[in-house]
Amino acid sequence: MAFDSSMFGSGLGGLLGGMFGNSGKPYDKAMEQYQKFMQMGQGVQQPYLDAGKQGLGNYQEWLQGQKDPAGFLNKMMGQYQDSPYTSYLQQQAQNAGINAGSANGTMGSSALAQQMQQNAGNIAQQGMDSWLQNALGINSQYGQGQQNLMQGGQNSANSLMNMYNQMSQQMGDAAYGKEAGKQSDWWNMLGGVGGMIGSFL
């Protein structure tokens, strides 16, 4: 049988292509891009995830403080002090009572003293009620804020998990493609060797 140079050349091309072709190389680039994208996505989501973790701890602590409503209110009311405005209103009411008592000639009477005491008590109660409503409102807003942080962190964690799942799938596909490219190079090399041998037969 005569030597077939075209078959030999084709076989040599297949051998060299299989040895130096590196058909899996494009998949390396794809995997690099996927990893960069994952790092970028994590960088964007991480602050929200961290805030959510902190919010979760704070929210749990806040809920713990709400378990005993009477204890919570007693602790809160233990911090109450008359505001300067409440003291000012009480002083104004006392001055008005003294002036009215002087004008009517009832100064020093039990009825006047009782009325002045009741007015001062009413003003103090209104100040305390107003303070308590404000304090409870702020407390509720704090709990809601921590819950919002926690939910934002959960949403961020969900986004990260979705991104990781998608990237893992794509990286798996790229790894498969890279391995398939290597296998293709291997078979090209074997086919080239076979073609070269066949050219002598």
Side-chain angles (χ1 to χ4, degrees), residues 10-12 14-15 185-197:
S10 175
L12 181 61
L15 173 66
D185 290 343
W186 171 252
W187 288 112
N188 284 341
M189 197 166 64
L190 286 180
V193 169
M196 288 171 60
I197 293 170

Side-chain angles (χ1 to χ4, degrees), residues 25 57-58 86 93 99 107 116 126 145 147 159 164 183-184 191:
K25 188 167 179 76
N58 291 342
T86 298
N99 289 340
M107 196 64 178
M116 289 174 58
Q126 288 172 358
Q147 186 178 33
S159 295
Y164 287 148
Q183 291 297 319
S184 176

Side-chain angles (χ1 to χ4, degrees), residues 52 56 109:
L56 176 61
S109 70

Side-chain angles (χ1 to χ4, degrees), residues 45-64:
Q45 294 291 330
Q46 195 63 48
Y48 300 100
L49 186 61
D50 292 342
K53 287 179 187 175
Q54 183 179 357
L56 176 61
N58 291 342
Y59 187 68
Q60 288 172 329
E61 185 179 319
W62 179 80
L63 283 176
Q64 191 69 24

